[in-house]
Amino acid sequence: MSFSQTFLPSPSLTNFSVKFTVKCRSVASPVTTVNSNADGKSERSEIRLGLPSKGRMAADTLDLFKDCQLSVRHPNPRQYVADIPQLANLEVWFQRPKDIVRKLVSGDLDLGIVGLDTLSEYGQENEDLILVHDALAYGDCRLSLAIPKYGIFENINSVKELAQMPQWTAEKPLRVATGFTYLGPKFLKDNGLQHVAFSTADGALEAAPAMGIADAIVDLVSSGTTLKENNLKEIEGGVLLESQAVMVASKKSLVQRKGLLDITHEILERFEAHLRALDQFTVVANMRGNSAEEVAERILSQPSLSGLQGPTISPVFRKVGGVVTPDYYAIVICVPKKKLYKSVQQLRAIGGSGVLVSPLTYIFDEETPRWRELLSKLGL
């Protein structure tokens, strides 16, 4: 089935009329049933968390929960609902990412994990959607405008230059293939491109310019290899947004749904503690010294050895000549993974020996900053 229509992206984009050509096929979508009252509002006491149902994002999300000691119990893979035994009264619903956003808006879900690109495209700055965690450290990509390397675009290297090309008129607009029918038009309108025709279709968008059905594409890019292999290039100013997995919630649910704030707090704390520990090692070493203070002075003279708040220093007791003597001290510090070898070198330079290195699993702060930010957004 195919059709064409004039598309007005949003009230903020008035006087920017673009033509959309959509090609699609009928696809069976999962349907969930919600008990409703006479007003059409859901009646439930359970808290609902939406997780991606398929693909790399789904697998990485389950891995994150597992790493945070939250096991998603999903005994029947044909079912769309699961639970997390550690979190009482929580239902996990596996949905397409765009449906997670839509159901957060409609109130059928309370929490969700999606890519920032999906949230921005389908949330469309809805005031009820609130970011709980904006950097879950997976699903990294960018939404970018790409044009051919050849032909009339060979010397076009920026969005500004693209907008200034005299070729684009009402009769012959710039043709852009994209699945981002909200972010794409908004971005190009904001960057001065007034004559644009958008199209969206199933399949790889990178082939559209070579097939002659589009002049440019707006699509997600990870490494950029696929663009290069299809003779496409990103241009200066052409990145719409940098994306990764985020946790989002319904503001209304956070305020009104009993128990949701407590569950959100626990999930957020577990995520933060785990993610903060990912880039750190625990380093333990022995160091000869006359006192803990003297050892501390030596350690703190090295810029890579300050740890989180400072080194932990304790005496190591040895029996020398029949006398128990604390002439060594054990030090414990946390160091960033990227600075590990430099830190070990600095330890050796000031007398450290027997250096032990181990990965960290969690670093719990006194209170996670993102929790304080969330409470502030809620006015609590």
Side-chain angles (χ1 to χ4, degrees), residues 287 305 341-355:
M287 188 176 295
L305 303 181
Y341 187 66
K342 182 178 180 180
S343 299
V344 171
Q345 286 180 311
Q346 289 180 354
L347 271 174
R348 288 170 173 167
I350 60 175
S353 62
V355 180

Side-chain angles (χ1 to χ4, degrees), residues 147-213:
I147 60 176
K149 297 178 179 179
Y150 49 85
I152 62 173
F153 300 102
E154 184 175 0
N155 297 316
I156 302 301
N157 297 302
S158 70
V159 175
K160 183 178 180 180
E161 291 174 354
L162 181 65
Q164 291 173 346
M165 292 178 70
Q167 284 89 341
W168 318 130
T169 65
E171 293 74 26
K172 189 180 178 182
L174 174 72
R175 299 169 302 159
V176 179
T178 186
F180 291 83
T181 58
Y182 172 74
L183 294 175
K186 184 177 186 298
F187 173 79
L188 291 179
K189 189 263 181 182
D190 290 345
N191 280 275
L193 282 129
Q194 295 297 325
H195 303 298
V196 186
F198 287 86
S199 65
T200 182
D202 293 335
L205 293 178
E206 291 87 355
M211 294 178 70
I213 60 177

Side-chain angles (χ1 to χ4, degrees), residues 34-43:
V34 179
N35 294 327
S36 300
N37 59 25
D39 297 327
K41 296 181 179 179
S42 60
E43 294 179 337

Side-chain angles (χ1 to χ4, degrees), residues 34-347:
V34 179
N35 294 327
S36 300
N37 59 25
D39 297 327
K41 296 181 179 179
S42 60
E43 294 179 337
R44 60 181 171 89
S45 60
E46 300 84 7
I47 294 166
R48 289 180 177 172
L49 167 67
L51 299 184
S53 56
K54 294 180 181 179
R56 180 66 180 271
M57 178 74 79
D60 288 347
T61 300
L62 292 179
D63 286 343
L64 173 62
F65 275 83
K66 184 178 179 180
D67 290 340
C68 296
Q69 305 301 310
L70 295 172
S71 53
V72 179
R73 188 168 57 186
H74 190 209
N76 187 347
R78 294 182 178 273
Q79 292 183 342
Y80 292 103
V81 65
D83 68 354
I84 298 177
Q86 296 87 351
L87 300 174
N89 200 40
L90 177 73
E91 293 179 346
V92 175
W93 286 80
F94 292 100
Q95 302 283 294
R96 296 179 302 180
K98 63 183 179 181
D99 289 335
I100 291 175
V101 178
R102 288 167 174 164
K103 289 174 181 177
L104 283 166
V105 172
S106 68
D108 295 313
L109 291 174
D110 304 307
L111 288 168
I113 290 181
V114 296
L116 180 60
D117 58 292
T118 303
L119 174 62
S120 302
E121 172 68 17
Y122 295 96
Q124 299 185 6
E125 304 178 58
N126 187 291
E127 292 183 356
D128 187 52
L129 296 176
I130 186 168
L131 270 178
V132 177
H133 199 299
D134 60 353
L136 293 178
Y138 64 93
D140 291 6
C141 60
R142 59 189 178 274
L143 182 61
S144 191
L145 173 69
I147 60 176
K149 297 178 179 179
Y150 49 85
I152 62 173
F153 300 102
E154 184 175 0
N155 297 316
I156 302 301
N157 297 302
S158 70
V159 175
K160 183 178 180 180
E161 291 174 354
L162 181 65
Q164 291 173 346
M165 292 178 70
Q167 284 89 341
W168 318 130
T169 65
E171 293 74 26
K172 189 180 178 182
L174 174 72
R175 299 169 302 159
V176 179
T178 186
F180 291 83
T181 58
Y182 172 74
L183 294 175
K186 184 177 186 298
F187 173 79
L188 291 179
K189 189 263 181 182
D190 290 345
N191 280 275
L193 282 129
Q194 295 297 325
H195 303 298
V196 186
F198 287 86
S199 65
T200 182
D202 293 335
L205 293 178
E206 291 87 355
M211 294 178 70
I213 60 177
D215 301 305
I217 66 171
V218 171
D219 202 10
L220 293 175
V221 179
S222 295
S223 65
T225 301
T226 304
L227 291 181
K228 293 176 183 177
E229 290 177 348
N230 286 275
N231 290 315
L232 299 176
K233 63 183 179 182
E234 296 176 90
I235 55 179
E236 181 183 345
V239 176
L240 283 69
L241 63 81
E242 299 283 350
S243 181
Q244 63 177 299
V246 299
M247 183 162 68
V248 61
S250 161
K251 186 175 183 179
K252 184 176 180 181
S253 291
L254 284 171
V255 173
Q256 297 182 359
R257 184 81 62 195
K258 183 179 179 181
L260 177 57
L261 266 179
D262 290 337
I263 282 181
T264 302
H265 188 197
E266 181 171 348
I267 294 174
L268 185 57
E269 286 230 284
R270 287 175 182 260
F271 282 1
E272 285 278 77
H274 171 66
L275 293 171
R276 189 177 181 198
L278 282 179
D279 295 326
Q280 299 281 334
F281 279 125
T282 298
V283 176
V284 180
N286 288 335
M287 188 176 295
R288 190 184 293 274
N290 296 319
S291 67
E293 289 76 12
E294 180 208 328
V295 172
E297 285 287 347
R298 273 188 278 162
I299 294 171
L300 293 174
S301 69
Q302 304 298 313
S304 296
L305 303 181
S306 57
L308 297 178
Q309 281 87 32
T312 299
I313 302 173
S314 55
V316 176
F317 293 94
R318 298 192 308 153
K319 198 168 187 178
V320 180
V323 180
V324 175
T325 306
D327 55 349
Y328 273 88
Y329 289 85
I331 66 166
V332 181
I333 56 173
C334 292
V335 300
K337 287 183 177 180
K338 60 185 178 181
K339 294 183 178 180
L340 175 63
Y341 187 66
K342 182 178 180 180
S343 299
V344 171
Q345 286 180 311
Q346 289 180 354
L347 271 174

